[in-house]
Amino acid sequence: MDLFSVVTPEDAVSKILKALEVPDPARERVPLLDALDRVLACPIVSPEDVPNYPKSTVDGYAVMARDTFGASEALPAILTVTGEVFMGRPAGVLVGPGIAVRVPTGGMLPGGADAVVMVEQAEDIGDSSIGVVKGVAPGENVVTAGQDIKKEATVLEAGKRLGPADLAGLAGLGMEEVHVFRKPRVAILSTGDEVVPVGQRPGPGQVRDMNSTGLAAMAVRDGSEVTLMGIVEDNLDALRSAMASSLDSWDILLISGGSSVGARDLTREVIDSLGPPGVMVHGIALKPGKPAILGLSGMKPIYGLPGHPASALVAYAAVVRPVLLRLAGERNPRHRLAEVTAILSRSISSPVGRMDMVRVALSQEGPGPVASPVLGASALISPLMKADGYIVIPVGKNGCSAGEEVKVILGGP
């Protein structure tokens, strides 16, 4: 393969996924709260109707709707109040012609009733009677049994990442545990003679290992278990040994540094040495992040990511995340990316044929948010920390204009 036979991020991801025979991950049963942000392993079928009884949606009076037809303030419908429904108890009373029963919001609808008159639309006229000043239609202010969820209806499909609302719904169905896919295991290895641990003061020509922390945080946020494999010097044998020794303990390997084409950039050679098919992509039409490497050792994805922090995180977002989420069993990974619409504060140029992921900071100016590009070289730290998110300028577009409406993807890179 020629070095830097650049492909688009979409083509790079597609190439890996087509070659990668992705089986469904192993399943495990976990308590409901532990399932937050996990991927559902099997469809959820409702074991019962929700609600399992008809109930009122307002405070008022359960009635037969036909008794109120034509009611008005000038000519109210007179009904006799014969009882009251209490929360958490069976109705215990019946509604017949000319009869009304007091009922609270959420209270069970008495037998014989088919509507509820809001308390504001009924006047107490004494002698246990009310005057209804506005008629109701059958079914008005009532939720019927099974109206929300029918018994045996599929409420969640497999491959859905579970959020707080999903867990609340499952709790409402009486489910204390749920089957989810096992989290993907991500290993992260930093390379470079110049890279030192976070707790060590860098000497001349040295830098702390920022990429491991940044990449680990993104992978954890995407629902993975992460192992940091430390720092390996620029030595072919040492790098091969570090990668090969843990081949069975991870599902995807991220190598930080050594993805370019310099004399000491060894990642490509090592990936090829770990077994076919080896390197499949070297070079992506992406800024920053062009030198990224994508390969497979058997069915294990291996990525060589650029050493500069911004480049590494952008490359992760563009070509690692889609594959990682597929390994997690997720079927619709794009829905997890929170976006906000904003107005671009200044024009940005971008060559056609390259995807640009531009960091922006958000501010509130006037009626809506404004996105201001955060400029700086990919080796710098401060632009990463100042940004609230990023915008994507696709391959076929030559930039964005000041005042243009853009979608800002919140969070890293």
Side-chain angles (χ1 to χ4, degrees), residues 51-254:
N52 61 2
Y53 61 91
K55 61 183 179 179
S56 174
T57 62
V58 297
D59 291 334
Y61 297 89
V63 299
M64 299 177 71
R66 66 172 180 264
D67 285 343
T68 71
F69 291 169
S72 66
E73 292 186 3
L75 189 63
I78 308 302
L79 302 176
T80 301
V81 180
T82 62
E84 183 174 358
V85 173
F86 296 95
M87 289 297 294
R89 300 182 188 177
V93 290
L94 296 175
V95 170
I99 298 298
V101 171
R102 292 184 185 89
V103 61
T105 301
M108 185 175 183
L109 195 70
D114 61 0
V116 176
V117 174
M118 295 177 62
V119 69
E120 297 89 344
Q121 295 167 355
E123 299 176 344
D124 186 349
I125 59 176
D127 295 326
S128 299
S129 296
I130 58 171
V132 177
V133 300
K134 183 179 179 181
V136 289
E140 190 166 342
N141 300 323
V142 170
V143 173
T144 59
Q147 183 174 328
D148 188 4
I149 300 173
K150 292 288 188 185
K151 183 178 180 179
E152 299 185 353
T154 299
V155 293
L156 290 174
E157 297 285 356
K160 170 83 160 55
R161 194 172 290 267
L162 299 171
D166 300 317
L167 299 191
L170 295 177
L173 294 173
M175 297 184 178
E176 298 180 289
E177 296 181 324
V178 64
H179 281 102
V180 294
F181 289 127
R182 177 179 60 79
K183 293 182 178 182
R185 300 165 300 174
V186 177
I188 299 174
L189 179 68
S190 285
T191 68
D193 294 336
E194 76 282 10
V195 181
V196 298
V198 173
Q200 180 176 325
R201 185 178 181 86
Q206 294 181 325
V207 294
R208 289 191 176 98
D209 179 18
M210 294 178 286
N211 287 1
S212 288
T213 298
L215 292 170
M218 294 185 77
V220 168
R221 179 171 283 179
D222 286 333
S224 304
E225 293 180 355
V226 175
T227 299
L228 298 180
M229 299 174 63
I231 302 166
V232 178
E233 61 187 5
D234 285 323
N235 177 280
L236 185 62
D237 290 336
L239 185 57
R240 182 187 293 113
S241 175
M243 293 169 62
S245 64
S246 60
L247 196 62
D248 293 332
S249 63
W250 45 262
D251 300 307
I252 184 169
L253 173 64
L254 310 181

